[in-house]
Amino acid sequence: MIPHLLSVDDLKEDFLIDLWDEALKNKGKNNKNLKNKIITNLFYEPSTRTSSSFYSAMIRSGGTVIPINNVKFSSVTKGESLEDTIRTMACMCDGIVLRHDQIGAAKKASAVSSVPIINAGDGNGEHPTQTILDGFTIYNHFNKSINNLKITMVGDLKNGRTVKSLVKLLNRFSGNSFCFVSPEELKFNEKLPINSYETADINEVLNGTNVLYVTRVQKERGSIYDYELSMEQLNSLPKDAIVMHPFPRVTEIPVSFDSDPRAKYFDQIKFGIWCRQILLEKVLLK
Ligand code: NCD
């Protein structure tokens, strides 16, 4: 069976720990492990980090990328279906990294693909490879542990796919508790983990937070709300806490916080390449 990666549900804990340990060992170094392998980056939604990260990971491992980063300039504009585009690209490469604006698109693609599909975000569905690097960031910071943490998620929890996927993952490890901070209209819509607390006031939960996961308001999915965490709020986090953000950042975190050692969002981007190199090996060399 083709090892598609459609959801965090496809990632077993031991697979992840192994991937993270290998990523820690390789640290993004160049190699030839994916020599003669080709992936297609097929992106129906904007992307800076995810598409470039897959590109960089593939090149660093000696492989090649067919970049379809703007489907406006592909036959999609002529009316080609997702299925036919997938069937076509599957003839030319060893794996397809797909970002799409419709939830379930990756699953639909996997049904007709003869090569592995990696879901790089499907509407307000999931974003499992972001979760791999988010999980790695936490694992790396807390001495290879991902248990017994208080995780505070803030922002557009209704439409943020990175939050949905990360909560799924963290909920599988023991002792974690969750605070969901958002206005009523952008509340987390999924089944809440057992140890959850919901509030609209972040000041209630900053104290004792180990991981603050900040997200953008997804205006393209109809969300309306603007917020900005203050330096005072961020500074009140415990000294060994970490602040994460999948990016892009709009107004949520002041740039002046970037030099604080707790700010991990640029590390996340770097770790994304480390993790995707190993993920691509695991998917393409199977
Ligand atoms: C996120 C996404 O596309 O879901 N970005 C990313 O992949 N790093 C977050 C977002 O768009 O807000």
Side-chain angles (χ1 to χ4, degrees), residues 114-150:
S114 55
V115 299
I117 298 289
I118 298 178
N119 182 5
D122 60 330
N124 63 359
E126 282 210 44
H127 195 345
T129 71
Q130 179 72 37
T131 300
I132 293 176
L133 72 95
D134 288 342
F136 177 86
T137 306
I138 297 169
Y139 182 73
N140 182 49
H141 182 78
F142 295 99
N143 303 318
K144 294 194 166 196
S145 163
I146 193 160
N147 302 100
N148 304 317
L149 299 168
K150 174 173 161 181

Side-chain angles (χ1 to χ4, degrees), residues 45-47 49-50 99 120-121 123 127 130 160-162 215-216 218 220-221 245-248 276:
E45 264 193 350
S47 169
R49 269 149 296 274
T50 306
R99 170 168 291 186
H127 195 345
Q130 179 72 37
R161 54 196 173 200
T162 64
T215 63
R216 165 183 81 88
Q218 309 260 312
E220 73 274 34
R221 302 189 213 287
H245 192 312
F247 268 34
R276 287 185 173 112

